[in-house]
Amino acid sequence: MFLSKMTFNQSSLFGQIDDLQDLAIIERPIRRSLKTAEEIEKLTVDEDLNDIERAVYLLSSGQDVQRASVVVNLPNLVRQNPAETFRRVVPKVREVLHVAGVEMQLAAAGSFLTILQDDIILIQTHTHSILQIVLLNLDHRDAVVSNAWLETLLSAIDALPKETIRQEILNPLVSKAQLSQSVQARLASCRILGKVAGKFESQIVKKDLLPLVRSLCQDVEYEVRSCMCHQLENIARGIGVDHTKAVVLPELVELARDEGSTVRLAAFDTIVNLLEMFDNDDRTRVIFPLVKAFCEKCFKADEAVLASLSFQYGRLCHGLSGSFTEEQHLWFLEFYKKLCILGLHLENGHCESQAYPLELERKYELVRKNCAYNFPAMVLFADPKCFLSELYPTFSSLCNDPEISVRRTVAAGFHEVVKLLGPNVHYIHKELVALLQDDSLEVLDALTNTLQETLELATSRGEGAGTESKQVSVPELIPALAAAEQKMAASLRWRVHEKLLQRYSCLPRIISGDQIYFRFLQRMFTIITTNNALPVQREATRTLCVFLRYNRKLEQRQEIISKVVDQLAQGRSYWNRLRYLDLCEIAMELFSKSYFCKNFLVPALELVNDPVANVRYKLCCLLPRLKSTIRLPTEKPMLQQLEFCVRRLLCREKDKDVVATIRKIVLELDKIDMTEPYHKRHERDLLDQKKEKEENLLLEMEQLERQQSEGKLTTDKHSEKKRKEMKKAKLARSRSLSSHPTTPKMVNSDKPSKGKETDGCPAPRRASLHPVSDESLRSHHFSTTSTAMSTTPSASMPVLIRSNTTNTLDHRSNGGKDTQSRKLSIQRKSNSFGMQSGRE
């Protein structure tokens, strides 16, 4: 047994030794990476040196990282001591850059640009020394480095005076633009010419720059011709309209017929950008034939250029539309339609992709995507009145394109098309529903960004009035909106889901309260109680409060509040109870203080007994805001209950975080009325009064609807009975005239039937209101100014609302008997009226 223990101890000891050896192996590279004493000695700098001397020393004998630090710090040295920096440090930097790497070159380019653009006052010698370094490094063998120095020079031109540009940049530019120079140097010359053209007068540009421009436009390398063609826009704006027509336009025409596709494309882009500088005669005689030939050539043999052509097509048509004949206008419109279905074929009314090589298929997809981007411009070009005949099939094709990127682009610009169509927006209701039901979340995301604006415009305009348009569009939109929300909820992209719920807050302006109550309200409860993303839950809570705020039926509001209390405030999950406190924060923003205290405050205060500390902690944080909603002296019991909650938390709370929080909150509660300025309190009181007026208006409107409904039913019943009595009277007179006297028995037999009909009339039912439309009331609810609440939404509104301004929610419970007595008196009057008409 002793041997076995010894063996075990030896094995464990050897195992520990092996672990130590492994650790030693791991530490070896760390030891090797440490700096040696000799290396540390090289990196050490004498502390007695000033900034200039230290910079010179490091540039002369320091390592690369030290030299780079000096180059980066160069602007600070110039600010502190410009004379010494340019005399001693800048020459050293110039020497170092000859052998410096890419990182130091890029750092130097940024530092010199900062010096040139800074507010430091530099003398001519200093500027000359910097520009010499910049121009010298333009020819660096590394393309990245040379491009960085070129960008530095182009940015510095804006900050340099004209005379410095003429002496330091234009004079060397003449030699760099020659054919003997490298392609890289000639490309840089093209960009510099385009930049400096806007710094001088037109005569100087025409005299000094145009010869170089012509030479570079006829360069043997297509890259140089293309680069110079892109700069012709700046040249044209520098020399003015008159010289552009005589000098620049001929060059553009020649470049547009160049053998290189990139040169032709550059010429096309420049022509589009300069359209406003050409008159109608130039557009008709020169530009239109040129662009037409360019489009036809690209469509037949140059797919690579089609993408850029399709992207600029909207601007092109919009710029030339004032100069087109009807035939030219039609040609450009038909060419656009061809681009929209490029790479597709129609089969059974649907667009499907044809079999092309992958690269070509991607080019065609990009062309259709650009066409979708330009569709609003083409609606303007074709005239919105002609949309149905000219562009609707094309728009439908884009909305149902097999590629997601195309449909996403259409969805992103859908609201623009809706704006342009105006009263004819009902043409594209089908496409809106199709996009809402799209399988791609990217499409839904793009549509959601402007969904509120799209829905409001799409449901408020139509062939006739807004209400008629809604009857056409809303029944199809509601299930599509619900399906879009379900699709987003099933995905992992909670931000898209949150965005859609945020857009749902516009639904009370679009659809009726009953449609919201039966189709969307329960869904909000489900999201709040089951969704895993907290932002989505909170946004659903806010949307639920908005639905409650603008619901006009008392029974539905009471049921919603009861459900909120049952499922959230008294829910089994502490997560739901936390959401109720979130709902209270939102409700305090949307509702008046009295409405909040009446419906939400007590359940919130009851959470002081919650078994979960997180709920009590959140309630503590919310107590100051809850107290601010209590109005004295009418709601003094509420204040007493809140104070009781505070005392309970102070006496019985055991959680340390809750205890610490309630002690801080008590101090805030004591100061809540003293620290707030009067003007802020006054503004908040005015806003609360406005909210309370709107809530009272909702109650009055509900009572108004019921009274009008009852009055309409009573009026219909009276008219129907009157018609029956008139028929019976006519029948009696016809019988008397035909010598068939009516016996008293027959006359008396009619009386019980009248009484039976009168006594057995059914109770009044709710019916749709005609004098006050649902749309006028809903738009009235969403008015934001207090003056708007006194305006008349319809012709019958002023008298009816004023006659019911004294009715409140508290009177409704005591008005049942009065309502019945009014009904009986109305029925008696109707009976007596019918009997009198019968006697007559």
Side-chain angles (χ1 to χ4, degrees):
M1 187 169 183
F2 176 75
L3 291 174
S4 62
K5 286 184 178 181
M6 189 174 178
T7 306
F8 174 76
N9 293 333
Q10 288 178 352
S11 62
S12 61
L13 180 60
F14 291 144
Q16 293 176 0
I17 293 174
D18 293 338
D19 294 339
L20 291 174
Q21 290 177 351
D22 294 338
L23 290 174
I25 294 173
I26 295 173
E27 288 180 357
R28 284 173 190 168
I30 299 175
R31 290 175 181 173
R32 289 174 183 173
S33 64
L34 296 176
K35 299 295 182 183
T36 63
E38 183 180 355
E39 291 173 335
I40 294 175
E41 182 66 25
K42 289 182 179 180
L43 293 172
T44 304
V45 181
D46 188 0
E47 295 181 359
D48 296 333
L49 298 177
N50 59 33
D51 292 339
I52 300 296
E53 293 172 346
R54 185 184 299 107
V56 174
Y57 173 77
L58 292 177
L59 288 172
S60 303
S61 58
Q63 297 190 3
D64 290 342
V65 64
Q66 294 174 315
R67 294 174 180 174
S69 68
V70 173
V71 171
V72 171
N73 195 47
L74 193 60
N76 293 329
L77 294 176
V78 173
R79 294 188 189 99
Q80 295 171 6
N81 193 345
E84 285 297 309
T85 302
F86 278 99
R87 187 176 68 85
R88 300 181 60 185
V89 179
V90 172
K92 286 290 183 181
V93 172
R94 183 172 183 173
E95 294 176 5
V96 169
L97 289 178
H98 284 295
V99 293
V102 175
E103 294 181 2
M104 191 176 296
Q105 290 277 353
L106 298 178
S111 295
F112 283 122
L113 176 60
T114 302
I115 295 171
L116 290 172
Q117 290 181 332
D118 209 344
D119 294 333
I120 305 170
I121 300 176
L122 301 177
I123 62 176
Q124 183 67 26
T125 308
H126 297 165
T127 306
H128 174 75
S129 61
I130 293 177
L131 290 177
Q132 288 298 314
I133 296 174
V134 173
L135 293 172
L136 182 65
N137 287 278
L138 284 179
D139 299 328
H140 197 278
R141 58 184 180 276
D142 191 308
V144 175
V145 174
S146 63
N147 188 62
W149 284 107
L150 177 60
E151 294 297 333
T152 298
L153 179 61
L154 295 176
S155 301
I157 287 174
D158 295 329
L160 294 175
K162 294 181 182 180
E163 192 60 32
T164 302
I165 294 174
R166 179 189 288 273
Q167 295 178 2
E168 303 293 342
I169 298 176
L170 286 186
N171 292 337
L173 188 64
V174 176
S175 60
K176 286 183 175 293
Q178 302 301 319
L179 285 174
S180 58
Q181 297 292 324
S182 64
V183 174
Q184 184 176 331
R186 302 204 298 275
L187 289 173
S189 301
C190 295
R191 297 190 62 185
I192 294 172
L193 281 172
K195 188 69 176 180
V196 300
K199 297 285 291 186
F200 297 100
E201 293 77 10
S202 59
Q203 294 298 328
I204 297 177
V205 174
K206 183 179 179 182
K207 178 183 177 182
D208 296 340
L209 301 185
L210 279 184
L212 292 176
V213 171
R214 288 196 184 96
S215 172
L216 292 170
C217 284
Q218 298 171 3
D219 197 277
V220 294
E221 297 292 337
Y222 75 92
E223 295 174 348
V224 179
R225 298 197 302 272
S226 175
C227 184
M228 192 65 249
C229 188
H230 279 298
Q231 302 302 321
L232 285 179
E233 178 184 356
N234 296 328
I235 301 296
R237 300 187 188 282
I239 63 177
V241 176
D242 296 334
H243 296 305
T244 297
K245 183 176 181 180
V247 179
V248 177
L249 186 56
E251 293 292 337
L252 283 174
V253 172
E254 185 176 352
L255 291 170
R257 296 167 180 165
D258 196 275
E259 59 183 9
S261 60
T262 56
V263 181
R264 295 197 304 271
L265 181 58
F268 173 77
D269 291 340
T270 305
I271 289 172
V272 172
N273 294 333
L274 292 176
L275 281 176
E276 71 273 8
M277 298 190 70
F278 302 130
D279 55 24
N280 287 334
D281 186 45
D282 291 333
R283 295 177 185 177
T284 304
R285 291 188 309 99
V286 181
I287 303 299
F288 174 74
L290 191 67
V291 172
K292 183 179 179 181
F294 177 77
C295 293
E296 290 176 340
K297 187 173 183 179
C298 292
F299 194 82
K300 292 178 181 178
D302 200 350
E303 296 85 1
V305 183
L306 274 179
S308 182
L309 168 64
S310 60
F311 183 75
Q312 295 274 22
Y313 202 82
R315 289 184 61 195
L316 174 68
C317 293
H318 183 69
L320 293 176
S321 58
S323 306
F324 279 159
T325 62
E326 186 175 351
E327 182 180 356
Q328 293 170 342
H329 188 278
L330 183 61
W331 186 92
F332 271 89
L333 190 60
E334 292 300 322
F335 186 79
Y336 173 76
K337 294 178 184 178
K338 292 180 183 178
L339 292 178
C340 288
I341 58 173
L342 187 65
L344 304 176
H345 71 281
L346 291 174
E347 185 174 344
N348 298 326
H350 298 284
C351 293
E352 297 182 1
S353 299
Q354 291 183 341
Y356 291 106
L358 183 61
E359 184 179 357
L360 188 59
E361 187 176 338
R362 289 289 171 260
K363 292 179 181 178
Y364 288 159
E365 176 189 345
L366 183 58
V367 169
R368 299 198 304 274
K369 176 185 174 182
N370 291 336
C371 289
Y373 170 79
N374 283 298
F375 191 84
M378 297 308 296
V379 173
L380 277 176
F381 178 72
D383 191 354
K385 296 179 181 178
C386 304
F387 174 82
L388 189 62
S389 59
E390 295 292 344
L391 286 176
Y392 175 74
T394 302
F395 185 68
S396 181
S397 170
L398 292 172
C399 290
N400 295 281
D401 195 275
E403 297 297 335
I404 294 175
S405 61
V406 180
R407 303 198 305 274
R408 182 180 66 238
T409 307
V410 174
F414 199 95
H415 65 292
E416 297 290 345
V417 180
V418 170
K419 287 181 186 177
L420 293 172
L421 290 181
N424 297 321
V425 69
H426 58 282
Y427 292 157
I428 57 174
H429 282 158
K430 181 180 176 182
E431 283 64 38
L432 176 58
V433 172
L435 290 175
L436 283 171
Q437 296 175 339
D438 199 279
D439 294 331
S440 172
L441 283 175
E442 295 181 16
V443 177
L444 291 175
D445 187 16
L447 187 64
T448 303
N449 290 328
T450 55
L451 184 63
Q452 181 173 339
E453 185 178 3
T454 301
L455 289 178
E456 290 177 353
L457 292 171
T459 56
S460 63
R461 297 180 182 179
E463 284 186 297
T467 306
E468 296 178 5
S469 173
K470 286 187 179 183
Q471 292 174 351
V472 174
S473 62
V474 169
E476 296 180 0
L477 284 177
I478 291 176
L481 286 169
E485 189 276 324
Q486 294 276 4
K487 192 184 303 308
M488 292 181 181
S491 70
L492 297 177
R493 300 181 61 180
W494 62 265
R495 289 181 178 85
V496 181
H497 193 196
E498 179 192 15
K499 190 192 305 180
L500 179 64
L501 293 176
Q502 187 180 4
R503 302 299 185 270
Y504 268 12
S505 60
C506 73
L507 290 183
R509 293 194 290 272
I510 296 170
I511 60 180
S512 67
D514 286 339
Q515 290 170 324
I516 292 176
Y517 182 79
F518 291 109
R519 295 303 299 267
F520 295 99
L521 206 67
Q522 181 55 43
R523 181 59 187 163
M524 294 302 108
F525 278 105
T526 304
I527 295 171
I528 294 170
T529 55
T530 61
N531 197 279
N532 294 326
L534 180 59
V536 174
Q537 288 182 324
R538 286 179 172 168
E539 197 57 50
T541 303
R542 176 174 291 277
T543 305
L544 174 65
C545 290
V546 173
F547 289 167
L548 175 62
R549 172 69 177 80
Y550 297 104
N551 188 295
R552 293 206 319 274
K553 293 190 176 181
L554 179 62
E555 294 84 354
Q556 292 181 1
R557 290 199 300 273
Q558 290 176 342
E559 186 175 346
I560 294 170
I561 294 172
S562 176
K563 210 168 187 178
V564 166
V565 174
D566 292 341
Q567 295 189 12
L568 299 183
Q570 300 172 0
R572 297 182 61 185
S573 171
Y574 86 96
W575 197 252
N576 294 345
R577 301 195 293 275
L578 286 173
R579 296 295 74 76
Y580 179 77
L581 294 177
D582 288 337
L583 183 142
C584 288
E585 293 186 71
I586 299 168
M588 283 186 279
E589 298 174 5
L590 293 178
F591 297 94
S592 65
K593 295 179 180 179
S594 60
Y595 193 92
F596 176 82
C597 290
K598 182 179 179 181
N599 297 287
F600 299 104
L601 180 58
V602 173
L605 295 178
E606 290 175 353
L607 292 176
V608 71
N609 300 314
D610 197 278
V612 179
N614 287 6
V615 180
R616 301 195 302 274
Y617 177 82
K618 188 172 182 66
L619 175 62
C620 290
C621 297
L622 203 59
L623 283 175
R625 294 192 62 188
L626 294 178
K627 183 180 178 181
S628 65
T629 62
I630 299 174
R631 297 187 300 183
L632 297 176
T634 56
E635 295 167 352
K636 188 174 181 180
M638 297 287 186
L639 180 60
Q640 293 174 348
Q641 189 170 353
L642 186 142
E643 292 174 349
F644 173 76
C645 292
V646 174
R647 288 195 298 269
R648 184 180 181 86
L649 288 169
L650 287 172
C651 297
R652 299 187 181 182
E653 184 57 50
K654 297 180 181 179
D655 187 87
K656 60 179 182 180
D657 295 326
V658 180
V659 170
T661 304
I662 191 61
R663 288 175 179 172
K664 294 179 182 178
I665 294 298
V666 167
L667 299 177
E668 293 184 23
L669 290 173
D670 293 337
K671 298 177 182 177
I672 193 168
D673 294 328
M674 296 181 293
T675 58
E676 190 174 23
Y678 169 77
H679 67 278
K680 289 187 177 180
R681 210 163 50 239
H682 182 65
E683 291 175 1
R684 195 171 65 247
D685 290 342
L686 290 176
L687 181 61
D688 185 68
Q689 291 175 8
K690 179 182 173 183
K691 292 177 183 177
E692 193 168 356
K693 287 181 181 179
E694 292 175 357
E695 290 161 1
N696 292 333
L697 183 62
L698 286 175
L699 293 175
E700 292 175 4
M701 286 182 174
E702 183 182 8
Q703 294 174 0
L704 179 64
E705 288 179 357
R706 290 186 177 183
Q707 291 177 4
Q708 289 183 345
S709 177
E710 293 172 359
K712 184 178 181 302
L713 288 175
T714 305
T715 304
D716 293 343
K717 196 176 295 297
H718 287 174
S719 60
E720 183 179 357
K721 289 180 180 180
K722 187 174 180 180
R723 283 196 300 269
K724 289 181 180 180
E725 295 295 338
M726 293 294 291
K727 287 181 181 179
K728 291 179 181 180
K730 289 180 180 179
L731 181 60
R733 284 196 296 271
S734 64
R735 287 176 180 176
S736 63
L737 291 174
S738 60
S739 301
H740 292 286
T742 304
T743 62
K745 185 177 181 181
M746 294 176 61
V747 175
N748 294 333
S749 65
D750 291 339
K751 292 182 180 179
S753 65
K754 293 178 185 177
K756 187 175 183 180
E757 288 176 5
T758 305
D759 297 337
C761 64
R765 299 177 299 168
R766 294 185 185 179
S768 60
L769 299 179
H770 296 283
V772 181
S773 64
D774 186 66
E775 172 63 24
S776 64
L777 293 177
R778 193 179 304 115
S779 62
H780 189 74
H781 296 170
F782 278 85
S783 62
T784 55
T785 60
S786 58
T787 56
M789 297 184 62
S790 61
T791 58
T792 58
S794 62
S796 62
M797 280 295 292
V799 177
L800 293 172
I801 289 181
R802 282 198 294 271
S803 65
N804 291 281
T805 51
T806 59
N807 293 340
T808 60
L809 181 62
D810 298 332
H811 295 166
R812 290 180 50 83
S813 61
N814 300 326
K817 294 182 180 180
D818 297 338
T819 305
Q820 292 178 2
S821 62
R822 284 198 299 271
K823 290 180 182 177
L824 291 175
S825 63
I826 291 171
Q827 291 173 1
R828 292 194 191 100
K829 290 179 182 179
S830 64
N831 292 340
S832 61
F833 180 79
M835 292 173 65
Q836 290 176 5
S837 62
R839 291 193 187 98
E840 290 175 0

